[in-house]
Amino acid sequence: KMNENNRLRLAMQKSGRLSDDSQDLLERCGLKVRFHSQRLLAVAENMPVEILRVRDDDIPGLVMDGVVDLGIIGENVLEETVLARRSQGEEPKFHMLKRFDFGGCRLSVAIPTDETWGGLESLNGRRIATSYPQLLKRCFDERGLTFKPCLLTGSVEVAPRAGLADAICDLVSTGATLEANGLKEVEVVYRSKACLIAKAEPFDNEKAALVERLLVRMQGVARARE
Ligand code: PRT
Ligand code: ZN
């Protein structure tokens, strides 16, 4: 049966840029969890908490649908999901509990290095490769501009060279990937960090107290690092 126990369910990225920091954060909060690479679910040894490890893209939806109680996710993926659901006529519900100091990056427009930048207007009606069509569309909409999407979930940075797009809109942290692909960052569309979200449906007293305890510990972790 579903949810027979009353454990708090938290979703985090299984393997990727947020995994180590998410796991580290949980450990610093005092959670003792042993992860098995094959298993989706891991139960904490010392608290009524279970950790679900999935692809980051699935996390906002799992929280919004109330399948899990909490999720650690990049704001970029969260906001893209919010916009996507809204465009389907749904108003997604969740609570933002905390913004972390890891997972920092920006979603930026980049063009070939040898081209001169004429502002976003110069891309009006052009083809742009991205994994974040909703965030990019919001940015273009705000300026009364349009673009033709080239939707790629990976290898976005090779699209201009491959003749698939005039520009890209992708996540950047150091800028090394853009540089290695002959591209330059010209406009920041969205700034992101990892964050903690909770489902909209209220928790029972026990779970609410546990979430409060975890939040206090996370606050302590953040202070210890300053
Ligand atoms: O398998 P799964 O779907 O879970 O993982 P994923 O491959 O979709 O995501 P992953 O692990 O790459 O990133 C997870 C989250 O980390 C992102 O949604 C962001 O919130 C955050 N993050 C922070 C980044 C970066 N920095 C980042 N630099 N995500 C991706 N990148 C990529 C970027 O796409 C580009 O390919 O790194 C490259 C650029 O890095 P620089 O340093 O060369 O600029
Ligand atoms: Zn992903």
Side-chain angles (χ1 to χ4, degrees), residues 4-225:
E4 247 180 312
N5 61 67
N6 196 35
R7 286 193 281 256
L8 187 75
R9 279 200 169 162
L10 180 146
M12 60 170 266
Q13 189 184 25
K14 183 164 170 51
S15 69
R17 288 168 192 269
L18 301 179
S19 312
D20 287 350
D21 285 322
S22 301
Q23 193 173 330
D24 192 51
L25 175 83
L26 297 177
E27 278 167 15
R28 283 163 180 266
C29 285
L31 276 173
K32 289 207 175 10
V33 195
R34 232 176 291 155
F35 292 110
H36 300 272
S37 56
Q38 307 298 356
R39 279 187 217 156
L40 196 65
L41 214 60
V43 180
E45 292 162 22
N46 58 342
M47 276 184 235
V49 176
E50 49 193 42
I51 313 294
L52 184 70
R53 291 190 308 156
V54 292
R55 292 206 51 186
D56 66 343
D57 315 75
D58 296 335
I59 295 173
L62 289 170
V63 174
M64 291 165 187
D65 293 337
V67 178
V68 299
D69 300 306
L70 303 175
I72 299 174
I73 187 64
E75 291 168 313
N76 53 314
V77 172
L78 173 64
E79 195 61 16
E80 182 72 15
T81 307
V82 166
L83 296 175
R85 288 200 171 205
R86 265 188 205 148
S87 78
Q88 300 292 308
E90 180 192 336
E91 185 51 39
K93 295 193 175 67
F94 64 94
H95 299 295
M96 173 65 70
L97 297 188
K98 192 165 170 49
R99 206 171 180 232
F100 298 119
D101 62 358
F102 64 87
C105 58
R106 49 202 190 271
L107 180 68
S108 291
V109 173
I111 61 169
T113 313
D114 55 15
E115 286 179 19
T116 49
W117 179 232
L120 266 195
E121 314 82 70
S122 65
L123 288 177
N124 197 16
R126 307 282 288 278
R127 177 88 51 195
I128 306 179
T130 190
S131 315
Y132 296 90
Q134 301 287 345
L135 283 166
L136 182 60
K137 183 176 184 299
R138 179 169 71 183
C139 171
F140 269 60
D141 282 351
E142 282 168 1
R143 293 166 171 83
L145 303 172
T146 62
F147 66 94
K148 295 197 201 94
C150 165
L151 301 178
L152 294 171
T153 57
S155 305
V156 173
E157 66 279 357
V158 305
R161 212 174 350 125
L164 300 176
D166 302 304
I168 72 163
C169 175
D170 200 11
L171 299 175
V172 183
S173 47
T174 62
T177 303
L178 292 183
E179 202 188 322
N181 287 280
L183 299 170
K184 62 181 176 190
E185 186 178 5
V186 289
E187 182 103 12
V188 176
V189 169
Y190 189 79
R191 287 182 197 280
S192 179
K193 282 189 172 183
C195 64
L196 179 71
I197 55 173
K199 67 174 181 184
E201 194 190 312
F203 294 133
D204 62 35
N205 291 341
E206 246 168 276
K207 276 192 182 178
L210 182 52
V211 170
E212 197 47 50
R213 241 168 76 205
L214 289 174
L215 277 173
V216 168
R217 289 183 185 190
M218 283 175 188
Q219 212 54 56
V221 169
R223 236 178 278 120
R225 281 184 163 181

